[in-house]
Amino acid sequence: MFKFLVALLIFVLLFDVSNAQELQTDSGATECTASNTEQGWWRESQPIMGTVVAVEVRSEGRASACSAIAAVMTEMKRIDALMTTWSPDSELSRLNREAPKRYVPIEAELFDLIDRSLDFSRMTAGAFDVTYASAGRFYDFRQGIRPDDAELEKAVNAIDYRYLLLDRKHKAIRYRHPEVFVDLGGIAKGYAVDRSIEILEAHGVSEAMVSAGGDSRIVGDRGGEPWVVGVRDPRVRGANVALLPLMDVSVSTSGDYERFFEDNGTRYHHIIDPTTGDSARGVRSVTILGADALMTDALSTSVFVMGLEEGIALIDALNGVDAIVVDGEGRLHVSRDLLDMNNTVATMEGR
Ligand code: AMP
Ligand code: MG
């Protein structure tokens, strides 16, 4: 169903992108902090994981809705504390310090997520690689800092997911290169969104939307109507190139406009090509639709690195996953399933 709706909207937009609209952000839900007792949808947002986490749920009463939302926020903060590389106290920071020297036993949850990330590395021939940060850690996109050539050359040598040695029995990891640095920024938000949905479901919630920056997951619909998620225009602030009416799906967008600076006309942004240690520059944004947010998060970053043709070919080879790509010239492309449906709709329209 959602695919049909997506197809319909993309069809309209492919042929009239200039009509791109702004996403309606005022959903009409009541803030958990509000003092009224309106029933229906409840929402809250907080800055966590270096982005904005927003949760909306439908519930008969404020107490149950807002305690479910609070549990999600607590979970997001817990995952962030475990996996951030911004703090030296996280489990991941400890791993980065100690794993070049020996096998380091770590919390099973962190071990398992790193293990999952390797599945995506293999699936994408290394386009997705959490050791990107061996070079990525030398950039500061807020301050416009990037590594010099010598630094970069050295750092790139330490990018390779095969440098991670996993001892599954003891949930321990060792780095087979002294300069390896792991960062989970390309997959942790999706993981956290999936965990949040599990928590909401355990609280009895059956209609909800959780988003962490560019990674969102929707359970059910919104009172009989689909949620409408905008695919941002990568170059025009506040504009969208597509509006996706969605239900029961995860959606992730990776874009070169999220965290970047420009130097001599070159855009340096946060998605790194593991083969060069430089920003990947084939496309401007990638949106992935699929069943869970861990997968859509990892694949949006992957397809961004792989570029239009290779990236769409990967998505076309996977079941139940769709992609919408804005290429380097600002043109919109969709994966085969969405394209097929657009053609169907086009034929129906043409009658
Ligand atoms: P997203 O917005 O989901 O595409 O995630 C971007 C984040 O993924 C960056 O901020 C980095 O933390 C991380 N990242 C960048 N390049 C890669 C890569 N090639 N493989 C895995 N993670 C990456
Ligand atoms: Mg991603």
Side-chain angles (χ1 to χ4, degrees):
M1 177 61 178
F2 89 85
K3 282 192 167 177
F4 174 73
L5 291 164
V6 169
L8 197 66
L9 260 260
I10 289 179
F11 167 74
V12 172
L13 288 155
L14 274 178
F15 292 92
D16 191 6
V17 177
S18 60
N19 260 356
Q21 303 169 43
E22 237 174 277
L23 177 66
Q24 297 294 313
T25 47
D26 179 11
S27 61
T30 305
E31 294 284 336
C32 272
T33 47
S35 57
N36 70 39
T37 53
E38 185 189 327
Q39 293 189 344
W41 284 87
W42 301 85
R43 77 184 307 276
E44 199 181 321
S45 57
Q46 284 188 26
I48 309 174
M49 300 185 113
T51 188
V52 177
V53 169
V55 183
E56 284 197 38
V57 304
R58 201 185 67 75
S59 170
E60 290 311 314
R62 173 178 174 174
S64 62
C66 297
S67 73
I69 292 177
V72 166
M73 296 301 182
T74 302
E75 176 70 354
M76 290 272 189
K77 287 174 195 160
R78 185 190 67 77
I79 293 172
D80 185 37
L82 184 69
M83 300 182 182
T84 182
T85 52
W86 290 102
S87 155
D89 301 329
S90 74
E91 185 81 339
L92 180 54
S93 291
R94 186 171 70 84
L95 180 72
N96 278 329
R97 274 193 307 274
E98 298 175 10
K101 292 168 240 158
R102 58 182 176 86
Y103 274 97
V104 182
I106 52 172
E107 286 199 25
E109 189 178 14
L110 178 61
F111 183 95
D112 292 344
L113 188 59
I114 293 176
D115 203 4
R116 287 293 312 274
S117 82
L118 299 179
D119 294 338
F120 290 98
S121 298
R122 288 184 282 265
M123 184 195 290
T124 63
F128 189 87
D129 188 332
V130 294
T131 71
Y132 88 89
S134 305
R137 66 174 158 152
F138 295 110
Y139 290 84
D140 185 330
F141 299 101
R142 286 190 189 96
Q143 303 205 44
I145 294 169
R146 63 188 168 95
D148 63 33
D149 290 350
E151 228 172 1
L152 190 59
E153 199 183 332
K154 185 162 179 252
V156 172
N157 289 327
I159 302 180
D160 192 331
Y161 64 94
R162 288 164 296 197
Y163 288 147
L164 305 186
L165 305 176
L166 273 63
D167 174 351
R168 291 199 171 74
K169 189 162 163 226
H170 300 100
K171 304 258 178 197
I173 297 181
R174 176 172 189 169
Y175 299 167
R176 200 160 54 81
H177 187 296
E179 307 291 329
V180 168
F181 194 87
V182 167
D183 188 290
L184 297 172
I187 194 168
K189 288 200 283 315
Y191 169 72
V193 166
D194 286 342
R195 281 287 307 138
S196 301
I197 294 293
E198 282 175 28
I199 285 175
L200 290 178
E201 285 175 344
H203 276 77
V205 171
S206 56
E207 285 167 80
M209 148 89 132
V210 176
S211 69
D215 302 295
S216 308
R217 183 160 167 182
I218 294 163
V219 181
D221 57 24
R222 205 168 194 295
E225 301 287 326
W227 284 85
V228 178
V229 174
V231 177
R232 287 215 211 145
D233 185 320
R235 294 293 178 271
V236 183
R237 193 178 278 272
N240 291 304
V241 293
L243 294 174
L244 312 176
L246 302 175
M247 49 185 97
D248 271 320
V249 72
S250 295
V251 54
S252 292
T253 297
S254 295
D256 68 3
Y257 52 87
E258 291 171 47
R259 234 173 286 154
F260 75 97
F261 63 90
E262 283 183 354
D263 190 5
N264 264 329
T266 302
R267 180 177 288 241
Y268 295 90
H269 65 84
H270 67 143
I271 302 168
I272 303 292
D273 181 341
T275 60
T276 62
D278 191 7
S279 303
R281 295 204 182 80
V283 302
R284 293 178 182 173
S285 89
V286 174
T287 298
I288 302 287
L289 303 168
D292 65 81
L294 183 146
M295 175 185 66
T296 58
D297 188 6
L299 288 179
S300 67
T301 312
S302 305
V303 170
F304 195 106
V305 172
M306 295 170 90
L308 180 63
E309 273 154 38
E310 241 190 279
I312 293 265
L314 170 71
I315 298 305
D316 283 344
L318 298 173
N319 277 332
V321 188
D322 292 302
I324 300 152
V325 179
V326 179
D327 72 15
E329 275 75 50
R331 287 184 302 251
L332 208 57
H333 303 261
V334 299
S335 56
R336 193 179 48 222
D337 285 356
L338 292 178
L339 199 60
D340 285 350
M341 275 176 288
N342 286 325
N343 290 338
T344 311
V345 176
T347 312
M348 283 161 53
E349 297 262 316
R351 272 186 201 144

